[in-house]
Amino acid sequence: SKRLIDETSSVDRFSDTSSDKNGKYHQEEFDFAEVMVHQVIHSIEYVLGCISNTASYLRLWALSLAHKQLSVVFWEMIVVGGGLNVCRTSSASVCALPLFLSFA
């Protein structure tokens, strides 16, 4: 069992020993179950972080694919399908430039 450390005792952060008010050092007990639970918690946090980061990057990838496809659809429907058909009566290059700039 762990002993309680009061205000008069000091704990050395770099070892598993502590001193009481008389300056005597006592060896702390090693609790394997506590260390094991602590390591399992950190492992679970690490795995959940990896899964979360992977899901985030997959969402970004899906968003970029959707944006690309939407851009292609808008380009084909507005500029190629609609805009250039109107411009057949005039010079297509003069009409295509404003349509391209409005799309970009």
Side-chain angles (χ1 to χ4, degrees), residues 74-92:
F74 280 157
W75 179 262
E76 289 174 355
M77 291 184 72
I78 294 173
V79 175
V80 176
L84 291 182
N85 287 337
V86 173
C87 293
R88 290 197 194 275
T89 57
S90 63
S91 172

Side-chain angles (χ1 to χ4, degrees), residues 46-81:
Y46 176 77
V47 169
L48 289 176
C50 289
I51 292 170
S52 175
N53 289 338
T54 302
S56 180
Y57 280 111
L58 287 174
R59 283 193 303 267
L60 289 173
W61 179 59
L63 181 65
S64 100
L65 288 177
H67 183 268
K68 179 189 177 299
Q69 188 61 36
L70 192 58
S71 297
V72 168
V73 169
F74 280 157
W75 179 262
E76 289 174 355
M77 291 184 72
I78 294 173
V79 175
V80 176

